[in-house]
Amino acid sequence: MRVARGERRLSVVRLAFLLLLAYLCGIYFLVFGAIAFGEIVFLATAPRDLLPLVLRAAGGVLLGLVLLSPFLIARFELDAAERAAGRPPELLSHTFVAQADGLSVATQPITSTIDIPGMDRLRAHFRENVHESTIFPGFILLAAVGGLLFLRSPLRWPLLLTAATVWLLALGTSLKIDGRFVVGGPDGRPIAWLPYTALFEVPGLASLRSPNRAGFTLAAVLTAALAAGLAWLFERFSRPWQRVSLIAVGGVLLATNLLVPIHRATIASSPELDAALRAVAGRVRPGESMIEVPAGCASQPHSAAMQILHRTPLVGCQTSDAAIPWASGIELYKTSPFAAGRAGSADPLARCSRPRGGSERRRWMRCAPISVPASS
């Protein structure tokens, strides 16, 4: 914000280390944060000052790439290995699941402390995922957008346009309104056409499967807008009762989307299972791993959580198959006739069959035998 207002010159070294820090926090912070930073600064800079700014920004980006080079090289090598193993690293199709609905920016999450009437209808067709079904930033930050329209500041349009850009990226590769895709092919599947699709053409960004995570950056941009708006209001309304009123209104808006208590889940277990898993921790030898059967990804997200009990490496899918799509690191997948017959299925036990009439809660399957070498 200081650079955008002209109060501080863009530092090449500081920018490079900010890029590194953003990456260490997560690739989504780096990508969306860099886009937002660049748009705000360049839109707020006078034309006569653009060339020096571009040169300094380019220097910061180049230095940042040097700092990130160990990670970039590893990413490029992994992508090349995935292609060689027959599985392209691009996860574009996964964005259709993990993208924001067009209504979600104004729709409270289901865990909000105070649920505004009508929100159940707005989120009725959202994805059933408490954490990723909405990018709602809060009513107090949405009010900041309206405040920017009345704010006489050179940062007004840069912040508004940047917020719009980040929101557009959060919508993913194909626009979805009220749970339905606007554009689809003859087979009914969505077609990738929004700007987010272009990110998959950038080397190293093939796994950006969750566009809705742009919501983190959207909240940061709107927070800057809120700060600018509050500073203007406190200067205009200087009487004590006026400022108390402003704080009270802000508190009411903030209270509607406080997540209290914080959402949490318990580990589904039993005394017998708890004792068995703790016994594993005492018996496991170096180099040994544990496999849970059935090993389907979607039905067992608790598997990784169970590691706090048995403290043993797990074999197979421990979370969403979209999060760990590495075929190149599993030699058995490339040599096993069984794996070859799976035709790219994400579940290592895809050929297992559930007993007819059995409950979904029953934890057993009839499976085709798999021959695994002892060294594996």
Side-chain angles (χ1 to χ4, degrees):
M1 295 298 290
R2 291 177 178 175
V3 172
R5 288 196 297 258
E7 299 174 1
R8 172 184 291 175
R9 190 174 64 170
L10 181 63
S11 169
V12 172
V13 176
R14 184 182 292 112
L15 176 59
F17 277 95
L18 282 175
L19 294 175
L20 175 62
L21 178 61
Y23 174 80
L24 294 177
C25 292
I27 184 62
Y28 293 94
F29 290 100
L30 173 62
V31 174
F32 299 129
I35 291 173
F37 180 89
E39 187 170 357
I40 291 173
V41 171
F42 285 115
L43 290 178
T45 302
R48 65 178 182 277
D49 299 325
L50 271 180
L51 182 58
L53 178 67
V54 170
L55 293 176
R56 299 188 69 82
V61 171
L62 289 175
L63 180 57
L65 291 175
V66 172
L67 296 176
L68 290 169
S69 58
F71 308 103
L72 293 174
I73 293 172
R75 179 78 247 183
F76 296 153
E77 290 178 345
L78 175 61
D79 287 352
E82 287 293 286
R83 290 189 178 92
R87 183 168 186 173
E90 289 80 13
L91 299 180
L92 189 147
S93 61
H94 294 280
T95 63
F96 300 141
V97 177
Q99 63 182 36
D101 191 285
L103 302 179
S104 65
V105 72
T107 307
Q108 289 177 285
I110 196 171
T111 52
S112 296
T113 305
I114 302 175
D115 210 16
I116 301 301
M119 289 296 164
D120 284 337
R121 167 61 192 89
L122 287 177
R123 60 177 176 246
H125 300 112
F126 286 3
R127 177 190 177 198
E128 293 183 3
N129 187 309
V130 173
H131 305 292
E132 295 188 341
S133 61
T134 180
I135 58 168
F136 179 67
F139 288 117
I140 191 170
L141 294 185
L142 291 178
V145 176
L148 279 178
L149 298 176
F150 302 95
L151 182 65
R152 294 183 178 180
S153 167
L155 292 179
R156 176 176 59 176
W157 290 113
L159 287 173
L160 280 173
L161 293 175
T162 301
T165 299
V166 177
W167 174 64
L168 183 61
L169 291 173
L171 297 179
T173 53
S174 188
L175 181 61
K176 182 168 55 178
I177 302 293
D178 197 22
R180 298 173 177 85
F181 288 100
V182 175
V183 179
D187 56 357
R189 295 182 179 181
I191 296 176
W193 60 278
L194 288 178
Y196 192 92
T197 310
L199 294 178
F200 286 91
E201 302 300 324
V202 180
L205 299 185
S207 298
L208 289 182
R209 63 184 181 88
S210 298
N212 51 19
R213 295 178 187 177
F216 305 146
T217 302
L218 177 63
V221 174
L222 296 183
T223 300
L226 176 65
L230 288 177
W232 180 82
L233 287 173
F234 269 65
E235 289 178 2
R236 186 177 181 86
F237 302 100
S238 57
R239 296 180 180 179
W241 68 269
Q242 292 175 327
R243 293 187 172 182
V244 170
S245 299
L246 289 173
I247 294 173
V249 171
V252 171
L253 292 174
L254 182 62
T256 58
N257 65 295
L258 287 177
L259 305 182
V260 180
I262 297 174
H263 179 77
R264 63 187 186 276
T266 56
I267 300 177
S269 182
S270 65
E272 294 79 11
L273 180 59
D274 184 279
L277 293 179
R278 293 183 187 278
V280 170
R283 297 180 184 180
V284 66
R285 293 173 295 182
E288 290 186 335
S289 301
M290 186 172 73
I291 184 169
E292 182 177 356
V293 178
C297 301
S299 62
Q300 300 182 50
H302 64 272
S303 298
M306 289 290 190
Q307 285 183 294
I308 66 173
L309 300 177
H310 60 75
R311 301 179 181 274
T312 306
L314 281 170
V315 175
C317 192
Q318 305 166 32
T319 179
S320 167
D321 61 291
I324 47 174
W326 299 345
S328 57
I330 306 178
E331 186 66 26
L332 183 63
Y333 272 37
K334 294 181 286 185
T335 59
S336 167
F338 171 79
R342 288 169 51 251
S345 172
D347 189 345
L349 298 181
R351 286 194 171 184
C352 299
S353 59
R354 295 184 181 278
R356 292 185 179 181
S359 168
E360 287 296 323
R361 293 180 179 272
R362 299 177 71 175
R363 299 295 297 269
W364 58 281
M365 287 178 157
R366 294 195 301 269
C367 302
I370 306 175
S371 175
V372 182
S375 59
S376 299

